[in-house]
Amino acid sequence: MANYDNDDLADYDVSDEEFNEDNLNDEDYDKLYRMLPSLKSSLSSYNNEIPESELKETFPSNPKSGSSGSSKLVALAQLRPLHPNTNASPGAVQTASSRSLSSLSKLMLARKNGSQMSSSFPASIPSGVGVGVRLGLEPGSKSADILLKLRSKKATGTPQNDGISTKPKLVLGKGVSLGKFTLKKPQVKPVLTHESDIESLTEKCTKSSSVSVLSPPELTRIQSPWNEIKTKIHLDGSKLLLTTNSIIPIAPLISRKRKSLSQMERESQLKRHFSQLLYPLTNLEINVETIAKAKTNFSRPSPDDKILQAQNDVFNKDMKNLKISKPVEAAATAAAGTKDKHPPKPTKPFKKIDLVSELSSNKKLTKPHKSFVVIGHIDAGKSTLMGRLLFDLGVVDAKTVNKLVREAEKSGKGSFALAWIMDQTSEERSRGVTVDICATSFDTTTTRFTAIDAPGHKDFVPQMISGVSQADLALLVIDSINGEFEAGFFMDGQTKEHTLLARSLGIEKICVVVNKMDKENWSQDRFEEIKTQLLDFLTGSEVGFSSEQVDFVPISGLTGVNVVKNDHAVKAFDWYQGPTLVNYLESVGLTSVAIDKDTISKLSEEDFNLAINDIFEVSSSEFGVTGKVSRGLIQTGETVMVSPTKDYLQIQKMLIDNEPVDVAISGEIATMHFKLNQLANKSIDELVVGDLISKVDSPISSVKKFTCDVDLFNMSKPLLVGTPFVLFRNNRQVPARISEIIEIKGSKKKKKHLVSKQQALVVIEVNDDRLLPITKYSDNKVLGRIVIRREGSTIGAGLVTEI
Amino acid sequence: MKLIRQHFEKDKSGSTTLIPQDKEDLWELYNLIQKGDEITLSTHRNIKKATLGSGVAQGKDKGKTERKLLTLKMSVEDIEYTPSEEVLRIRGKTVEPNEYVPMQSYHTAEVQLQKQFTLYKDEWDEIAYGIVVKVCSIEEKAEVGAIVMEEGVAHLCLITDNMTVLRNKIEKSIPRKRRGDGGGSKHDQAMEKFYQLVNTTMLRNFDLDKLKAIILASPGFVAANLLKHVLAEAVKNNDKTVMQNKSKFIVVHSSTGYLQGLEESLKDPSIQRQLSTTKFAKEASVFETFQKVLNEDDDRAWYGPTECARAVEMGAVKYLMIADALFRSDDIGVRKHYIALADAVKNNGGETLVFLSLHESGEQLNQLTGIAVLLNYPVPDLDEEDD
Ligand SMILES: Nc1nc2c(ncn2[C@@H]2O[C@H](COP(=O)(O)OP(=O)(O)OP(=O)(O)O)[C@@H](O)[C@H]2O)c(=O)[nH]1
Ligand SMILES: [Mg+2]
């Protein structure tokens, strides 16, 4: 631990962040020491050399811990009901430590603790520039291990129960007779606790509830209709009793006629209420038609109400006073009603060009184009690899890199200099984590590339998915350092999830880039070891790539060896005879690259589709969108339609790789400029990432429900009809749920839930006030695919069969 | 809810006079008031000044009208509840003559917060009565504010024991970063604007003094950054309310900025401890366990009316989970059936949990037929057809 260099010290955010147990208040101090032994013992089997100080740092109330500041600590301390002893069991330890630390802040913590060793900076970067290199096996990474361990424990473990405990359980006393409806004072009854985790949870709940109500027990006198006896209701703050059990005690039921709504009607009413309840008051402007339409949906107001309502509407523009009985449909039909009636006539391209000669003579378009996304577990070196590629190919010059190195070193993140070429936002730079995708394009002599850097952290998988949706090929970056590969692969790391996603979203080829080989001394054994394991996994039943779809290239992104060039200067790397990464990228065969007469005529007949992946203002009167063309072709001057908003826009200008073009074809990532005033609400906030663009005469349907074949992965709990999840269609994400299970493959039983590894035909319902534009898989192999994520894990994928 | 008076006859008919205090009370009343009940409440009506019978030929707005506060007694025909509006709308036929309103005429009137009304029932059964007992007993209801967000999307919600209400949804398009000098600046600016928008919307809609806590949930750093922004703005504007309630903000993790992220963050034990009741926590955790067991497929978790009734009969039930919608059934037979099931479970040492439809787990249970059981031991083939 003594060999901190300057880099480390700078990396260690000084200010008030340093953990010092003396700064804890008494309560937390006590708790820390109560927790410590159990934490130690629970980790001892895993790694018993963890310094105590690092264990302490994982203590959740530690003011240093990322997102939760000390103000939060105060908040917790104030609001948390004090209940002694509950924190004594190891179960409590893990619950507590998972409490306020998001896994991301754990990572930050681990990073801050990480000690680094400086290494001589690779020769290919201007000398005089030092970049620290992080060493995964230094003590610092142990704390990451602890955290990983804790995290995985959180995922699978259940709160432990320390044997038999007495549990105050509020139940109705035996005095509740069946004959009379008499509520008696609830008794506190000790109950033996066995195995289950519910029990221990309940126990905590009950305990905290009995303390959390501060006001003294209250006596309420309420007359009972049955026996005219004044019943005492004793409140121990036990709403549990009152809310739950007040319904359960049984008294004789005297049947009685009641002309009433059927149960079904009530239920459907209830459902309606539920959707009303969650009806969002958006900040988007709603036009007059929408309101008018919505008003027609009012249910039977009396004449008086109509007048009242009209007055309301005039004086009160606040949406919350509008009653919209079926908000989603109302908004949708209103939107459709206003814009749908007369789709404009298609407009002619600005320039009349002969497509065949244009496409076969345009230098840009004749060079094959490939787009790839860089994926993999957090810190595998994805952004660094991208930076290296751009630098060594001369896309980014030495001056820029020098500047970044200086800036990075100044903020103590020297080793991230190359990553900063892609990591542009202040957030990403200060945290050293990629948050969003970043696309960039470059040329080699033979090929045009679009490269997309994706984030590795679990929280940013949605962004990573939108990156994958723009690519034909994926580079899966693996940290080869002993222990790191394993962490990303076996624990709940992202190596597996990213791979599954790439496969489910239709990536054609995957190249495993075994990175940081400099740290493994370019060992062939290590490379082969990783290759064997990953090949097994990638071609196994879970993922299902064929072995022709998978390739392996060993590199070091930081030093640059075997990225753009391999000068065979590294002796230990002599064993490798394969291509450099760039050679591989140039030569890899993809289905979509060659352009000839046939493809051109095929493309002009296809419907044109583009999925919006970025929306931005160009000037006060113009805006732009960028996205990948998934089918067909389009020319500047043509009018396109946006789904689901049904905005009709004429393309003012088109760019590919930042250069103006007249035509864009399938496979290209194109930017289009439009006039802002052609948008119905004149605001780009009306569009979202994932909206689809088509030609006026071949509109894309937008739906609330569709049928699809789903394939479920491993899940910790079943997928129920009605369970909310996040649905990804290519780069669009939207909350959704299964509304019906039509058929479970290999089972005749009618079920309302699906379990791991099942395949089923289901109806999926979108839970958003905006419709989802989508196509059948048979119509578009890109836009007809879906992926399902729940509570931060990918649990299934599917193909759209019916819309 | 404030109980003003009650009167019951020997045959269990009778009346109760109440004043609802908040939207939860309205929700309970929605469960309490049923078709066929009679209700007395005050409502504003527009009364034609000349109450002579010749109003037909006049234009709609020509006849001069006057607004009057009337007290009507109506027989209830239909009840509608819209949580976001905080009103309970009752449609019915008048059953008592009134100076301005004829008998047997149809009206829609609202049960409003802080306004007294009287409800008459032919029979106050123990469910109806139980509701009154319950709502008049809860002394303090805590409301928690929550903002679930991710880059460009934020949902502002209010959570009480019985329900989660979405107050506002904010959407802002955030441009992606670019490579090259200052490539992140447009993104950073847009995010700054976004935080500002969320902050002002929050201050407009959340009564920080009243709320018990404000949960900020997001993936990544969004929630933490929002808090930074909120506090920085408060210092800048010398906003005492925010400064005084600073400690009520809690940043937690969720995997998404959609509403389901809220459910996820509510499962966080630190948050559960702060919600006023443990009821929700218990239901949610039992339901979690139920789902895990269902996934293991070892015949200890079942759902469906027939399956559950069989399991109850066998005395195998540890937890019976019933959606409140089933208890709310107007069919007395149905209510009776489920009450009997609950009773049987209790006699066998099990426990019954009633799920509120206005929380996610209740909504989930509704989708699973509304009834489910977790058994003490596996019982296979509960779903086999009888011959
Ligand atoms: N020794 C060594 N270190 C590397 C290499 N490639 C990357 N690193 C280091 O690994 C750390 C993480 O690199 P990043 O490029 O930010 O990793 P990332 O995969 O982009 O991370 P996220 O985007 O946050 O998931 C940095 O400190 C890099 O210097 C390599 O080839 N050798
Ligand atoms: Mg990165």
Side-chain angles (χ1 to χ4, degrees), chain B residues 174-200:
Chain B
I174 310 282
R176 294 207 132 109
K177 61 177 172 174
R178 302 284 148 81
R179 185 176 65 72
D181 251 359
S185 63
K186 279 231 169 86
H187 171 274
D188 289 356
Q189 281 161 20
M191 281 307 286
E192 198 56 30
K193 274 201 193 132
F194 172 64
Y195 290 130
Q196 214 164 333
L197 191 60
V198 177
N199 186 21
T200 48

Side-chain angles (χ1 to χ4, degrees), chain A residues 521-524 569-576:
Chain A
N521 206 15
W522 300 97
S523 152
Q524 185 172 10
V570 182
K571 273 263 142 35
F573 193 38
D574 272 350
W575 57 268
Y576 182 72

